[in-house]
Amino acid sequence: MKITDIYKTKNKKNKSVISLEIFPPKTDAGVETIYHTVAGLTNKPDFISVTYGAMGSFNQGNKTLRIAEKIKKNYNIETMHHLTSINNNPEQIATILSDIKSKNVNNILALSGDMPVGAACSDFPDAYHFAYELINDIKKNGDFDIAAAIYPEGHVNSALEVENIEHVKRKYDAGANLFVSQLFFDNEKFLRLNDYIKNSGIEAPIAAGIMPVLQKSQVERMIFFGASLPTRLIKIINKYKDSPEDLQKAGMEYACKQIDDLLARGVDGVHIYTMNKPFVANTMMTKYL
């Protein structure tokens, strides 16, 4: 099934799509924990996306694809395979896409990808410079639903404080038919971009990306991704910085308030970055599906 069909069905009923994101664990035990968590969910997400590491999963036997295939096949949950261009040339992309299609995975999130720490540009192919170029090649190599990223506060490598709508249009014109936002902690910033895109003539579902703050060490990573922290959230982090259990609880409450507000305002979908935490997946699925 195509994920855009899920959006069409639920949005016609005035319901938002609720999805989860996971990443391939480094160990086999970690992978089994993911399967155990998915199997134990009382309420299943509308789909699950599986990330693609900075150096790519293909050279590791594509663990991303193995996980995406098994979740779809064994648990009847639609999956989305992340794919980055930073470490691949067009010939490699064509091979990866053929493998993805052979496993009956029909949805791809196309990303430029992040340069690994300590790596040099010369270490990677120079075939792609922007995500829309990767989207063009995906479109040529199979009948996939293609999602692309949007950035409520602008891309971390851009001087702009808001997303450049021309970048979004290029992705859309290249073949992206779904957009998933980078994480954010101020709903107004997402909703501003959401309205901007919809008023620009782009007809594609837009999912809001939500990540609960569970520990203080996450803050540095959030800043790396370009997400600003509202004063209210900073106060929560400072208040509970010496109490991990209380910070985890307060962080989940903050994320749920974000989601409650977004759903009340009729967003197309909410994409929850679980960080492979079983209790995040269980809590969110119990509350929202």
Side-chain angles (χ1 to χ4, degrees):
M1 178 183 289
K2 301 289 184 65
I3 286 174
T4 51
D5 290 331
I6 297 174
Y7 270 91
K8 288 175 184 176
T9 299
K10 293 203 73 172
N11 290 170
K12 281 182 179 179
K13 298 177 181 179
N14 294 319
K15 294 183 178 180
S16 300
V17 170
I18 306 295
S19 54
L20 303 178
E21 179 174 295
I22 60 175
F23 61 85
K26 294 181 180 179
T27 67
D28 291 340
V31 173
E32 289 305 315
T33 296
I34 284 180
Y35 297 145
H36 179 75
T37 299
V38 172
L41 291 173
T42 302
N43 300 321
K44 307 297 184 184
D46 290 307
F47 71 89
I48 293 176
S49 72
V50 188
T51 69
Y52 200 64
M55 292 299 291
S57 296
F58 188 64
N59 293 331
Q60 305 161 25
N62 202 347
K63 190 181 288 185
T64 297
L65 180 54
R66 295 203 303 273
I67 293 172
E69 178 196 18
K70 184 167 181 176
I71 288 175
K72 179 173 181 177
K73 183 177 179 181
N74 290 16
Y75 308 108
N76 197 32
I77 299 172
E78 198 56 59
T79 54
M80 174 183 286
H81 185 298
H82 289 216
L83 183 58
T84 61
S85 63
I86 191 169
N87 57 314
N88 294 300
N89 61 39
E91 292 74 23
Q92 291 168 319
I93 289 294
T95 299
I96 296 169
L97 292 172
S98 177
D99 288 345
I100 293 172
K101 196 66 178 178
S102 72
K103 301 302 184 182
N104 198 32
V105 175
N106 302 307
N107 309 283
I108 294 174
L109 176 56
L111 303 160
S112 294
D114 300 315
M115 184 74 69
V117 176
C121 291
S122 58
D123 296 333
F124 297 91
D126 193 35
Y128 302 103
H129 300 95
F130 300 98
Y132 76 85
E133 296 170 327
L134 173 61
I135 293 169
N136 265 321
D137 276 1
I138 296 172
K139 197 71 175 177
K140 295 174 185 175
N141 281 280
D143 182 25
F144 294 100
D145 251 13
I146 306 172
I150 56 172
Y151 303 88
E153 299 180 72
H155 193 279
V156 69
N157 293 327
S158 170
L160 298 175
E161 293 183 1
V162 295
E163 173 74 279
N164 186 332
I165 197 67
E166 293 305 317
H167 290 171
V168 180
K169 287 182 176 178
R170 288 192 191 103
K171 295 174 186 179
Y172 180 68
D173 291 340
N177 51 5
L178 169 66
F179 292 98
V180 181
S181 91
Q182 178 61 278
L183 61 93
F184 60 91
F185 301 100
D186 181 346
N187 285 2
E188 297 306 320
K189 293 183 177 180
F190 168 80
L191 292 166
R192 176 183 59 187
L193 177 60
N194 185 71
D195 290 344
Y196 193 19
I197 292 172
K198 290 185 179 298
N199 291 333
S200 72
I202 294 174
E203 298 180 354
I206 302 172
I210 298 296
M211 176 184 283
V213 178
L214 304 178
Q215 51 193 22
K216 191 178 179 182
S217 60
Q218 282 179 259
V219 173
E220 183 176 340
R221 180 172 174 79
M222 292 164 184
I223 294 173
F224 172 81
F225 281 120
S228 61
L229 302 180
T231 301
R232 185 161 60 93
L233 182 55
I234 292 174
K235 288 182 177 180
I236 289 172
I237 294 170
N238 286 334
K239 181 178 180 179
Y240 298 115
K241 62 183 179 181
D242 297 322
S243 178
E245 185 175 329
D246 289 332
L247 177 56
Q248 181 174 288
K249 180 180 177 181
M252 287 292 288
E253 289 176 351
Y254 187 96
C256 287
K257 287 179 180 178
Q258 276 191 275
I259 296 172
D260 290 341
D261 178 59
L262 292 166
L263 295 179
R265 295 165 84 165
V267 297
D268 297 325
V270 175
H271 192 60
I272 302 165
Y273 299 106
T274 69
M275 299 159 289
N276 285 16
K277 303 293 186 183
F279 75 90
V280 173
N282 279 293
T283 298
M284 295 303 190
M285 291 304 95
T286 299
K287 182 173 175 63
Y288 295 109
L289 280 174

